[in-house]
Amino acid sequence: MRADGTFSVKAFVPTELTPEPAVATGLPVGVATIEKHFEGEVSGRSATLFTAAYDQESGVGTYVAMESFEGSVHDRSGAFNFAHSATTSGSDRTAEFFTIVPSSGTGDLAGISGTGGLAVDADGTHRIWLDYEFG
């Protein structure tokens, strides 16, 4: 099944967490927490642990995120985790990855599995889609 939605970032909070041992690379690694709110066939909120090696000036980097979602997908409510990552050279989005974490669903979303994706439209609209099943 397919579910589509939009989301907004309500909070992006960089943390003081730094990798140990310290290793000097061409891009700094940072960790942040993110709160998102979703509307549409995917509706609810999420808490995200976000890690990135990213250069603000050039827009080049890669992120990896683990997201905990609670809300509803179509007419089912509960919670589950999903992981996603992507790379950008400043004007594109490549090496995209998105998966619903197996066995993470609760409530009516118990047994959910699948893939999906995230995109940002030219007008700034943030989109999510889930291609999911229950098993």
Side-chain angles (χ1 to χ4, degrees):
M1 293 185 283
R2 171 84 177 231
D4 295 288
T6 60
F7 67 91
S8 58
V9 174
K10 296 299 180 183
F12 183 95
V13 181
T15 71
E16 298 295 321
L17 180 65
T18 57
E20 291 292 333
V23 176
T25 62
L27 292 177
V29 174
V31 178
T33 60
I34 301 173
E35 178 185 349
K36 296 178 186 172
H37 291 193
F38 298 82
E39 296 180 347
E41 295 169 338
V42 179
S43 179
R45 66 182 184 158
S46 71
T48 307
L49 295 175
F50 182 86
T51 303
Y54 186 74
D55 178 55
Q56 292 282 359
E57 285 185 35
S58 65
V60 173
T62 298
Y63 81 87
V64 177
M66 179 61 69
E67 200 145 342
S68 299
F69 170 85
E70 70 177 353
S72 61
V73 177
H74 285 122
D75 60 345
R76 294 176 177 236
S77 62
F80 61 91
N81 300 109
F82 59 93
H84 52 99
S85 65
T87 295
T88 181
S89 64
S91 61
D92 64 351
R93 190 173 161 94
T94 61
E96 294 178 86
F97 170 82
F98 188 111
T99 191
I100 297 171
V101 177
S103 298
S104 67
T106 67
D108 295 336
L109 297 173
I112 192 169
S113 64
T115 62
L118 302 170
V120 181
D121 294 347
D123 68 0
T125 301
H126 289 66
R127 299 195 179 280
I128 185 171
W129 63 91
L130 303 175
D131 293 314
Y132 68 96
E133 59 186 26
F134 291 93

